[in-house]
Amino acid sequence: MHIGDTGDSRPPSAQSRRPRLVVGVSGSSAPQLAFAFLETVRALGTVETHLVMSAGARLSIELEMRRDPLELEKLADVVHDARNMGAAISSGSFKTLGMVVVPCSMRTLAAVATGNSDNLVARAADVTLKERRPLVLVARETPLSYIHLENMRTVTLAGGTILPPVLSFYHQPKSLDDVLRQVCGKILDRLGIENETFDRWTG
């Protein structure tokens, strides 16, 4: 279901009663993370996903994956236009479990750290922080500058979580999918969403 400037196309009675999760996708490299995350959440079937993609995210998907952004939209329950600052997810009265930005560019990180909500991805993240809900930014950049680190520090002090997609090897990954699944599981854990989608360390 796509939501544009006119709002939800379904009547309230048809709405899912599952808890809602906002999924933002910014113009960072590695849009594969967004696909893997939405596929993982869709398989769980326990939450209703509200997707919002920046213009940069759409370009990254086309350039890095040679895929149509519409393919990512099909994995979400609800899709919001990043230009629609009046969307439901722009208000704190719209209850959600929280939000993840995956991947999160340094531009989006800076927008969240400074409260400069110039698109719906940044605005929804700002709302998540002010409502004291879990916000996870899957920051994708290396090396990091002092500015990047300061922005990460600011978001962390405001209650957000910076979760870089750091590689794990204790589970002996055999493929890129194994690596992506591990990152997705850690994101879900930070959001408090029950899952057994990845290998946990047992000692």
Side-chain angles (χ1 to χ4, degrees):
M1 174 180 57
H2 193 285
I3 294 190
D5 295 333
T6 59
D8 198 326
S9 61
R10 297 184 300 176
S13 60
Q15 295 304 305
S16 168
R17 294 190 180 277
R18 291 174 293 165
R20 306 168 180 128
L21 174 67
V22 181
V23 180
V25 184
S26 71
S28 169
S29 181
Q32 292 86 346
L33 289 162
F35 275 86
F37 183 76
L38 280 173
E39 287 168 352
T40 299
V41 175
R42 189 178 183 87
L44 285 177
T46 56
V47 299
E48 178 183 278
T49 51
H50 285 249
L51 173 67
V52 55
M53 283 188 284
S54 70
R58 294 179 181 278
L59 184 60
S60 290
I61 290 169
E62 292 171 352
L63 294 178
E64 290 195 16
M65 299 185 71
R66 298 292 190 266
R67 295 179 70 172
D68 190 323
L70 287 174
E71 294 182 56
L72 184 62
E73 291 186 355
K74 290 177 181 178
L75 295 173
D77 294 302
V78 181
V79 178
H80 300 273
D81 189 321
R83 299 165 297 181
N84 180 14
M85 298 297 280
I89 60 174
S90 71
S91 172
S93 66
F94 186 75
K95 290 187 176 181
T96 70
L97 287 173
M99 179 178 182
V100 58
V101 181
V102 54
C104 181
S105 67
M106 294 301 99
R107 177 178 180 177
T108 297
L109 169 68
V112 176
T114 59
N116 183 17
S117 303
D118 61 347
N119 64 42
L120 187 56
V121 177
R123 171 57 187 169
D126 188 44
V127 166
T128 303
L129 283 179
K130 80 179 183 68
E131 295 295 326
R132 301 294 192 267
R133 297 167 185 159
L135 173 67
V136 178
L137 303 184
V138 184
R140 171 59 178 77
E141 187 62 273
T142 190
L144 297 169
S145 73
Y146 175 81
I147 293 171
H148 301 153
L149 293 170
E150 277 298 300
N151 286 337
M152 290 180 182
R153 175 177 177 273
T154 298
V155 170
T156 300
L157 290 173
T161 296
I162 305 299
L163 196 156
V166 176
L167 302 180
S168 298
F169 292 98
Y170 66 81
H171 60 294
Q172 301 180 353
K174 302 295 191 299
S175 66
L176 180 58
D177 285 342
D178 290 342
V179 174
L180 292 172
R181 185 166 57 251
Q182 196 79 3
V183 173
C184 292
K186 292 183 176 181
I187 295 170
L188 290 169
D189 277 359
R190 293 305 304 168
L191 291 165
I193 298 173
E194 291 294 328
N195 74 97
E196 293 301 329
T197 60
F198 69 109
D199 296 326
R200 301 176 185 277
W201 179 252
T202 57

